[in-house]
Amino acid sequence: MDAPLIIVSDVEDGSRIKRAIESGARGYIPTSMPLGIAVEAVRLVETGGTFVPISAMSSFQGQDESQLFTARQIMVIEALRRGRANKQIAYDLACAKAP
């Protein structure tokens, strides 16, 4: 099994982030991001998700969000952006999934 690639960079250019994701990176973490959010981003990627900073989302305009991320990944990204802890996100997702 290949390990997912996460890029950590001082450069937060949307077009560069888009190219990195299109080239196979599963995450792009700018060094300006708070440590706690960066740790949660790594956890997201470890569980199969893809992480890009919200500031780069405008670079993905014109593409259907559903082509980039699953609905569950979008929920996780939004929760991370709001600063939710991993356990809180897991609990919220489990409750959302329950019938």
Side-chain angles (χ1 to χ4, degrees):
M1 181 168 109
D2 292 332
L5 173 66
I6 300 173
I7 296 171
V8 178
S9 177
D10 288 336
V11 179
E12 196 170 344
D13 174 62
S15 61
R16 184 175 287 187
I17 294 169
K18 182 178 179 189
R19 281 194 313 271
I21 298 300
E22 289 172 344
S23 296
R26 295 283 302 284
Y28 194 103
I29 301 174
T31 56
S32 61
M33 181 172 287
L35 180 61
I37 294 175
V39 168
E40 294 301 325
V42 170
R43 289 183 179 150
L44 171 68
V45 171
E46 286 178 331
T47 60
T50 301
F51 181 85
V52 296
I54 195 71
S55 61
M57 291 307 294
S58 63
S59 297
F60 292 90
Q61 281 183 334
Q63 289 184 302
D64 184 8
E65 237 179 35
S66 64
Q67 292 176 330
L68 296 173
F69 307 105
T70 66
R72 189 172 179 87
Q73 289 171 333
I74 291 170
M75 291 171 61
V76 172
I77 290 168
E78 287 300 318
L80 285 170
R81 191 177 61 82
R82 290 191 311 270
R84 307 264 307 162
N86 193 41
K87 286 184 181 184
Q88 293 170 318
I89 294 169
Y91 176 80
D92 291 346
L93 291 176
C95 289
K97 194 175 184 180

